[in-house]
Amino acid sequence: MTSSETYLRHAKTVVVKIGSALLVQDNGQVRQDGLAGFAADLAMLRAMGCRCVVVSSGAIALGRHHLNRPKARMKLEEKQAAAAIGQVQLASEWTAALKAEGLKAAQILLSPEDTETRRRHLNARATLNTLLDHDIIPVVNENDTVATMEIRYGDNDRLAARVAQMISADALMLLSDIDGLYTADPHHDESASHIPEVTAIDEAIKAMAGPAHEDYASGGMITKIEAARIATHAGCHMAICDGRILRPIKAVMEGQRATWFIANENPPQARKIWIAGGLQPQGKIHLDHGAVKALRQGKSLLAAGITHVDGQFERGDLIAVCGPKDQNIGRGLSNYSSGDIAKIAGCNSAAIPDILGFRGRDEVIHADDLVIETSAEDKK
Ligand code: GLU
């Protein structure tokens, strides 16, 4: 098995990022053969049992022709207008290409705060997971039409890494116009050699991505390294591979070269480290004996096991969890505010819509968002 094959065969969730140049020709037409190949690769990953998310650029490249701005530099509002035009087409092209493979598409447009603010992060993640649970392929792009310069990702490499982090993906594939990272810019330096694997993103690696030939830097090798830093810290392997060949992911699995950045930790662990470390809990919930037992068995926390709540917090905040004798059990991210928990404590999840007037999540804290302390008994 090639190492790429190993990473992908072990992946439960894969994010595939596809750059504008791979999807849109200079004349503004969609590269239909390329798109059909990406859709076939996604179908292959689905058949292997991977959940797939696409991060697709191309809205501006498609839309600019309708503003008669095929090459000229555009002002921000023109780019945003181009994105507004192009995104509709991009979504319909993806819908058609995935349909030809028997797959369904859904569109998600994200802004930085959707991945970086905890509350919105939880919402975006729940939507993505719901789509994946229903076997639908989310096609993600930046919400370019309303973003201002200051609040943009500006590049889909980092957006894709944030998406990978958000859904605890195991692999992120950046399909690019180059087959990976080189020791120097291969367009200018004949002695530049390809790096198949990076285990630590240090200064030497960053220097290799340095200011370079326009093509080499387009989309930016630097932003790809930054994406690799985000992804690998979140426990996700990341590959830079050549998306210009037909069926690029299949090719990589069969041995076509790429650069793999190796994850620091496995995803759930990395997420839990984030929950366990640093942040100060905003409040505390008290559980009955049965709930403590369930949590220690790896279950999610339901309202029924909560006896009362201390402090004031919002949905998405980190809270401490303790047992009937006030003993510390662990900490996690709450799906409800303290006010709402006070109302639903001790109740069956089915009663939540009647009590709160809206249908929230069944779990007050999902097992994925919960870190349990090792108990004294566990240590014995
Ligand atoms: N969101 C932009 C678009 O769809 C592309 C940004 C990028 O390629 O990094 O046109």
Side-chain angles (χ1 to χ4, degrees):
M1 229 191 253
T2 64
S3 51
S4 300
E5 197 175 353
T6 312
Y7 296 134
L8 289 171
R9 286 218 183 270
H10 284 106
K12 283 200 223 55
T13 309
V14 178
V15 177
V16 179
K17 183 259 166 177
I18 302 168
S20 298
L22 302 177
L23 283 169
V24 186
Q25 305 173 57
D26 284 346
N27 63 7
Q29 298 297 308
V30 171
R31 290 186 194 280
Q32 292 295 350
D33 54 344
L35 178 60
F38 302 138
D41 272 351
L42 291 162
M44 174 191 73
L45 291 173
R46 282 295 306 125
M48 283 161 48
C50 297
R51 295 158 27 117
C52 300
V53 175
V54 178
V55 176
S56 175
S57 307
I60 296 173
L62 282 170
R64 63 195 305 165
H65 290 267
H66 298 274
L67 296 176
N68 293 323
R69 282 271 191 265
K71 277 263 179 250
R73 270 184 84 84
M74 290 187 288
K75 290 189 262 179
L76 178 62
E77 60 269 29
E78 288 173 327
K79 276 194 198 162
Q80 295 187 305
I85 302 164
Q87 185 61 39
V88 190
Q89 189 188 347
L90 189 61
S92 76
E93 296 282 357
W94 270 111
T95 305
L98 290 171
K99 190 172 176 211
E101 295 290 338
L103 299 170
K104 285 185 191 151
Q107 172 184 272
I108 301 209
L109 300 178
L110 292 174
S111 311
E113 50 188 0
D114 298 323
T115 56
E116 270 141 51
T117 309
R118 277 206 306 281
R119 227 160 293 148
R120 297 178 69 141
H121 173 113
L122 280 180
N123 259 344
R125 187 176 61 139
T127 309
L128 280 160
N129 280 327
T130 304
L131 291 167
L132 293 170
D133 289 346
H134 287 80
D135 205 9
I136 288 164
I137 310 244
V139 180
V140 180
N141 198 357
E142 180 160 12
N143 196 354
D144 286 314
T145 52
V146 289
T148 64
M149 280 302 199
E150 298 75 40
I151 57 153
R152 290 191 78 213
Y153 292 100
D155 68 85
N156 278 3
D157 295 328
R158 272 175 301 180
L159 170 63
R162 290 284 180 211
V163 168
Q165 176 189 41
M166 186 158 64
I167 57 170
S168 302
D170 315 278
L172 165 63
M173 314 281 293
L174 297 186
L175 304 189
S176 177
D177 55 2
I178 191 153
D179 58 2
L181 179 68
Y182 285 75
T183 50
D185 179 353
H187 297 102
H188 286 168
D189 187 342
E190 277 181 18
S191 67
S193 58
H194 180 265
I195 301 178
E197 205 161 279
V198 175
T199 46
I201 301 167
D202 52 19
E203 289 309 314
I205 294 291
K206 285 187 200 146
M208 290 174 196
H213 184 271
E214 215 183 64
D215 289 341
Y216 184 63
S218 84
M221 194 47 79
I222 275 289
T223 68
K224 291 182 175 41
I225 302 288
E226 176 60 16
R229 196 189 56 76
I230 297 168
T232 55
H233 273 97
C236 177
H237 299 305
M238 190 193 98
I240 300 174
C241 44
D242 193 342
R244 293 168 305 183
I245 43 182
L246 225 48
R247 303 287 313 268
I249 299 176
K250 180 167 177 277
V252 160
M253 286 189 69
E254 289 169 355
Q256 173 75 29
R257 72 183 183 180
T259 298
W260 280 94
F261 294 78
I262 308 305
N264 293 354
E265 299 281 349
N266 64 44
Q269 229 171 324
R271 183 172 177 73
K272 300 228 168 177
I273 288 167
W274 179 70
I275 292 170
L279 299 164
Q280 193 54 35
Q282 304 293 306
K284 190 166 169 181
I285 46 177
H286 301 258
L287 311 185
D288 64 20
H289 181 67
V292 171
K293 209 171 147 204
L295 257 47
R296 291 208 189 280
Q297 287 167 353
K299 305 231 168 76
S300 294
L301 174 64
L302 303 179
I306 301 175
T307 54
H308 60 286
V309 54
D310 290 335
Q312 291 237 318
F313 52 86
E314 293 300 321
R315 188 171 120 66
D317 282 340
L318 181 77
I319 55 173
V321 178
C322 66
K325 292 184 204 134
D326 206 27
Q327 74 275 35
N328 183 28
I329 304 298
R331 37 162 65 191
L333 301 179
S334 178
N335 279 327
Y336 290 91
S337 67
S338 48
D340 287 345
I341 293 180
K343 292 183 199 147
I344 61 175
C347 299
N348 193 297
S349 305
I352 294 177
D354 282 343
I355 299 169
L356 297 182
F358 65 88
R359 186 169 173 80
R361 314 235 185 280
D362 284 350
E363 311 87 12
V364 173
I365 304 178
H366 192 278
D368 288 351
D369 297 331
L370 196 59
V371 175
I372 302 296
E373 302 273 317
T374 323
S375 72
E377 292 102 85
D378 293 343
K379 282 179 190 152
K380 273 181 207 158

